[in-house]
Amino acid sequence: MENKKIIFSGMQPSGIPTLGNYLGAFKNWLDFQDKYNCIYFIADMHAITVRQEPAKLRKNIKELFALYLAIGLDLDKSIIYVQSSVPAHAELSWILNCYTYMGELSRMTQFKDKSQKQGNNIPTGLFTYPVLQASDILLYQTDLVPVGEDQRQHIELVRDIAIRFNNLYGDIFKIPDMYIGKVGAKVMGLQNPTKKMSKSETDNKNNTIYLLDDLNLISNKIKRSVTDSDNEVRYSEDKPGIKNLISIYSAITKKSIDEIEKEFMYSGYGNFKSAVAEVCVEEIRPIQQRFNEIIKDKAFLEQSMKEGYEKANNMANKTLFKVKRKIGMI
Ligand code: TRP
């Protein structure tokens, strides 16, 4: 690989990604491809920390892989692979479990949130999830991890584990930084614009735009989105619905908030919503076209996954072997 910094990120195959994932993460991943050595993975081992239906998980993995390619991630520029195909993740994860403290993991707010939903039988994997995440990142000598604010605590723990290990055994791991970009678009729910748009929405499907939703449905969801009643297209904290639509429109068209407010000053919400719907549909249309082609081509998908596995596996094993040697394994 060329001498560029390494970017590492990924997503769980737990349902179809949303417009929020696209504008908040995927679009940045695309931009990184020319400036960095990028590694993007599908975190299927993380996904099984909550129960998954096997057939559905398999489908989700394939679809997410195809979607990575459909949005424009490029196999010639980036390494794209499925986590569970690279055994080093599980191996390093076990080792790092022995260098991570119960107290540290107990403080993770994501664990507290997710475990509350599990009743009395909380899978241990949910508890050690951040250790697996540390293995993901550290195996590839990652410089930068672009993730949302909700992952900050995990990334800090990854750094702590890496520093602890290096203090004991020498410079084994690169200490990664969280990538803090220009304010990436944070897309809120369409029905509940005070909360982030979520992929795992169960109550109200109209709250979320999935990238593989029918294009008419996407348009309708936007037109039906919740807004206030003063009919003025203005970017303001007390107008969360309109503020969200302005952010979406701005992220796609690259127009500034000012420009957008001027453009729609006299047009009312109806016309503005139609305009937002249109740019969303036109942004997503070609992605869906490419997705439909890729998902049909089983041989190509399989070959691409294999290629990703081989490249990732080689890189990961280099770090893993170093680690095993250092701690005294043969
Ligand atoms: N925890 C991340 C999430 O829920 C997914 C993830 C797992 C990840 N391992 C990672 C992201 C390593 C970046 C780097 O969004």
Side-chain angles (χ1 to χ4, degrees), residues 193-194 226-247 261 269:
T194 54
V226 167
T227 42
D228 55 82
S229 54
D230 77 6
N231 217 25
E232 190 190 345
V233 179
R234 185 166 48 84
Y235 190 87
S236 162
E237 291 304 327
D238 59 1
K239 296 161 70 69
I242 284 297
K243 176 170 174 258
N244 187 36
L245 294 181
I246 294 177
S247 308
E261 284 177 342
Y269 289 170

Side-chain angles (χ1 to χ4, degrees), residues 205-322:
K205 295 275 179 211
N206 285 328
N207 198 39
T208 300
I209 291 178
Y210 297 94
L211 292 178
L212 299 180
D213 275 347
D214 182 84
L215 293 174
N216 286 321
L217 181 60
I218 292 178
S219 181
N220 284 331
K221 283 182 180 179
I222 291 171
K223 289 179 185 161
R224 270 190 249 126
S225 66
V226 167
T227 42
D228 55 82
S229 54
D230 77 6
N231 217 25
E232 190 190 345
V233 179
R234 185 166 48 84
Y235 190 87
S236 162
E237 291 304 327
D238 59 1
K239 296 161 70 69
I242 284 297
K243 176 170 174 258
N244 187 36
L245 294 181
I246 294 177
S247 308
I248 293 172
Y249 193 77
S250 166
I252 295 177
T253 61
K254 304 266 191 275
K255 289 182 189 168
S256 69
I257 309 288
D258 265 4
E259 274 175 90
I260 297 168
E261 284 177 342
K262 286 211 183 81
E263 185 178 344
F264 293 97
M265 190 153 26
Y266 302 110
S267 59
Y269 289 170
N271 289 330
F272 178 55
K273 283 180 174 177
S274 296
V276 178
E278 189 179 324
V279 295
C280 284
V281 165
E282 291 320 315
E283 182 81 9
I284 294 173
R285 185 192 306 278
I287 295 174
Q288 292 192 356
Q289 279 166 354
R290 284 192 295 269
F291 174 85
N292 290 332
E293 282 163 27
I294 295 167
I295 201 74
K296 269 193 301 213
D297 194 343
K298 288 212 176 72
F300 169 74
L301 261 182
E302 245 168 60
Q303 179 56 32
S304 306
M305 285 186 185
K306 184 162 164 259
E307 233 172 74
Y309 148 75
E310 279 165 359
K311 291 182 193 161
N313 195 53
N314 274 333
M315 280 181 79
N317 277 342
K318 285 195 186 123
T319 302
L320 179 67
F321 290 154
K322 244 198 251 173

Side-chain angles (χ1 to χ4, degrees), residues 8-10 12 41 43 46 129 133 136-137 145 147 151 154:
F8 184 94
S9 197
Q12 292 189 43
F41 82 127
H46 282 89
Y129 179 115
Q133 186 162 354
D136 303 337
I137 295 167
V145 189
V147 280
Q151 294 295 311
H154 286 171

Side-chain angles (χ1 to χ4, degrees), residues 66-115:
L67 204 51
Y68 278 8
L69 301 182
I71 58 157
L73 295 185
D74 183 339
L75 292 165
D76 293 325
K77 293 184 186 163
S78 304
I79 297 178
I80 302 169
Y81 75 100
V82 179
Q83 183 183 29
S84 62
S85 71
V86 176
H89 288 259
E91 284 189 66
L92 183 61
S93 191
W94 174 255
I95 293 172
L96 293 183
N97 264 314
C98 304
Y99 295 83
T100 308
Y101 305 136
M102 302 278 289
E104 290 175 314
L105 293 176
S106 308
R107 282 195 288 276
M108 295 293 120
T109 55
Q110 186 173 300
F111 169 71
K112 290 185 206 166
D113 290 346
K114 287 195 178 176
S115 59

